[in-house]
Amino acid sequence: MSNAVSALPEAVFEGYVRVEELGLNGMITLRGDLDSAALTSAVKSAIGIDMPGQRGITFKGKNGVAWMSPDEAMLFVPLGDVSKTLASLSKSLAGVHHLAVDVSDARAMFGLTGDAVREVIAKVCPVDMAPGQFAPGEIRRTRMAQIPVAIWMPDESGLRVICFRSVAQYAFDVLSDASRPGSEAALFS
């Protein structure tokens, strides 16, 4: 078996916002009826977190769950816990229509840090990033330049971006260009 490696190991750009590839992260796509007691109970049992509402994302330590669509959630766990989490979901959801798939190596995750993370994302995504319109605890699936992404803010000066691994270099380049010194626009100050 080969060793898993992240899409862009140790890629960092220091602009007026720091952009970095966050390495390997455990991610599980869970499809099913997100309102069903069986599914919400299975998620709570597997990772210790309640299912968030529409466009919500919740983390408790290194575990997280995000609402991705009416029938899809993304679970975040340490990479070494993916198999155990899948086994727990499979056991809890036996006989319940669902799909749980490890997508850890099919995705790349980037972290942005700095006071202007809203501005950087507003340049490249059609999402209203104004304070009061997008806040920590919310997630959006959208387009960044020409690629599908999901974005959320763990706090007011941080932002996470998930994309397909196959477009990781493009995503990193877009984020780096948007945070290049001299390109500040002061959209939200």
Side-chain angles (χ1 to χ4, degrees):
M1 176 180 260
S2 63
N3 292 331
V5 295
S6 66
L8 302 172
E10 302 178 26
V12 175
F13 180 81
E14 294 288 351
Y16 71 96
V17 165
R18 178 184 171 91
V19 178
E20 65 182 311
E21 198 260 356
L22 295 178
L24 294 171
N25 293 274
M27 294 183 237
I28 298 168
T29 293
L30 178 61
R31 304 292 301 243
D33 180 359
L34 299 188
D35 293 327
S36 77
L39 195 132
T40 58
S41 176
V43 169
K44 176 79 172 189
S45 176
I47 64 171
I49 301 176
D50 291 322
M51 186 69 68
Q54 185 176 22
R55 293 190 309 267
I57 184 167
T58 305
F59 273 85
K60 183 176 180 181
K62 294 187 180 215
N63 290 346
V65 60
W67 182 97
M68 300 299 278
S69 73
D71 68 346
E72 180 183 3
M74 178 74 78
L75 279 59
F76 300 90
V77 298
L79 192 61
D81 292 349
V82 170
S83 294
K84 174 180 73 170
T85 304
L86 284 169
S88 175
L89 291 169
S90 181
K91 181 178 180 183
S92 296
L93 294 171
V96 176
H97 179 73
H98 77 284
L99 173 69
V101 178
D102 176 5
V103 295
S104 306
D105 63 354
R107 305 289 187 271
M109 187 184 307
F110 298 94
L112 283 69
T113 51
D115 293 336
V117 294
R118 290 177 182 278
E119 177 182 308
V120 169
I121 292 299
K123 290 180 187 180
V124 296
C125 292
V127 174
D128 187 348
M129 294 301 297
Q133 298 302 311
F134 190 83
E138 297 178 51
I139 189 168
R140 293 292 187 280
R141 290 175 86 167
T142 185
R143 301 207 57 85
M144 182 176 76
Q146 297 298 315
I147 60 172
V149 296
I151 61 171
W152 74 92
M153 298 178 73
D155 56 52
E156 282 296 328
S157 62
L159 198 131
R160 300 291 180 267
V161 177
I162 297 175
C163 67
F164 290 109
R165 179 187 179 97
S166 61
V167 293
Q169 185 66 60
Y170 177 77
F172 181 76
D173 292 345
V174 166
L175 292 167
S176 297
D177 284 346
S179 66
R180 195 163 302 284
S183 68
E184 300 91 340
L187 300 173
F188 303 112
S189 43

